[in-house]
Amino acid sequence: MPEPYIRFAVPEDEEALGRLDRAVWSYRHAVRPREQPPYEPFFNDRVGPRDHQVAELGGRLVGYVRLGFPTPLASNAHVRQIQGLAVADEVRGNGVGRALIRAAVEEARRQGARRITLRVLGHNTPARRLYESEGFVVEGIQPEEFRLADEYVDDVLMGRRL
C-alpha cells in the first residue's frame, strides 16, 4: 500500500470527516454514545480545520488526527494533546495511524511544544501498542473512569517529550 498523503484539513473536508468519525465509532475508543441524526458539525467554535491533519490514500480521506491544548492555561501552553485519531477500517494496519501520529508530533514541535500527551481507553490495546511504539509512555491511569457497554474502563494518560 502506498504511503498516505498527510495535509491539514480544509473546511471542505467537514462532511467526509463527519462520515469517517461516525463510520469508525466504537466503545473501544469512544466515551460518548453513537451520534444520531441530525448530526452536529464536525468543526465548531472550539476545533476547526487547522486543528486537524488528514490522511489521504488515492485522493480519498481515510483518517485524521486532532491536535490541541490540554487546557486553556498559559502555564500549560508548552504541551499539546492528541484529542482524536480515526482511521477508516479498511486501511487499518497499513501505517495510516502511525503517519498521523508522526505528523501530530512534528506539528507540536513546529508549534514549540515541549511535550505531547493523549488519553486512551485501557481496553484499546491496538492503539496503546501503536502509541508506545511511537515513544509514548503511560503517565497515569484513572481506574474505571468510564462505564461503556456495561463495562468499567480505565482512562490512560500517555505522553512523551518532544
Side-chain angles (χ1 to χ4, degrees):
M1 181 167 280
E3 289 283 314
Y5 172 65
I6 308 294
R7 61 171 175 81
F8 280 98
V10 294
E12 293 77 21
D13 292 325
E14 182 162 24
E15 187 176 324
L17 286 167
R19 277 195 315 270
L20 173 66
D21 218 35
R22 291 187 295 275
V24 302
W25 180 94
S26 163
Y27 275 130
R28 174 175 270 186
H29 54 80
V31 296
R32 296 184 343 193
R34 183 184 295 273
E35 196 177 347
Q36 299 296 317
Y39 300 118
E40 294 291 322
F42 187 83
F43 301 130
N44 58 47
D45 60 344
R46 290 186 8 258
V47 293
R50 292 298 294 177
D51 300 311
H52 297 81
Q53 292 180 75
V54 299
E56 290 182 346
L57 283 173
R60 193 172 133 255
L61 197 146
V62 295
Y64 76 83
V65 64
R66 178 181 297 147
L67 185 67
F69 292 91
T71 74
L73 303 170
S75 59
N76 190 228
H78 62 284
V79 180
R80 295 298 179 279
Q81 187 174 62
I82 293 175
Q83 297 177 335
L85 176 71
V87 175
D89 291 338
E90 64 273 14
V91 299
R92 284 195 180 152
N94 289 294
V96 174
R98 184 174 307 281
L100 287 164
I101 291 166
R102 288 178 179 174
V105 165
E106 287 308 310
E107 178 59 17
R109 276 191 187 115
R110 189 193 69 72
Q111 292 178 13
R114 294 174 44 96
R115 288 181 28 80
I116 186 167
T117 64
L118 59 88
R119 293 170 64 182
V120 60
L121 294 174
H123 64 191
N124 192 344
T125 305
R128 290 179 66 178
R129 283 188 187 133
L130 175 61
Y131 298 138
E132 287 169 358
S133 74
E134 289 298 315
F136 287 83
V137 297
V138 173
E139 296 181 337
I141 298 175
Q142 293 180 293
E144 299 184 354
E145 186 69 8
F146 298 103
R147 184 164 171 83
L148 307 172
D150 295 324
E151 177 186 350
Y152 289 102
V153 181
D154 297 347
D155 187 19
V156 179
L157 175 66
M158 299 181 80
R160 64 170 277 191
R161 289 182 159 273
L162 296 175

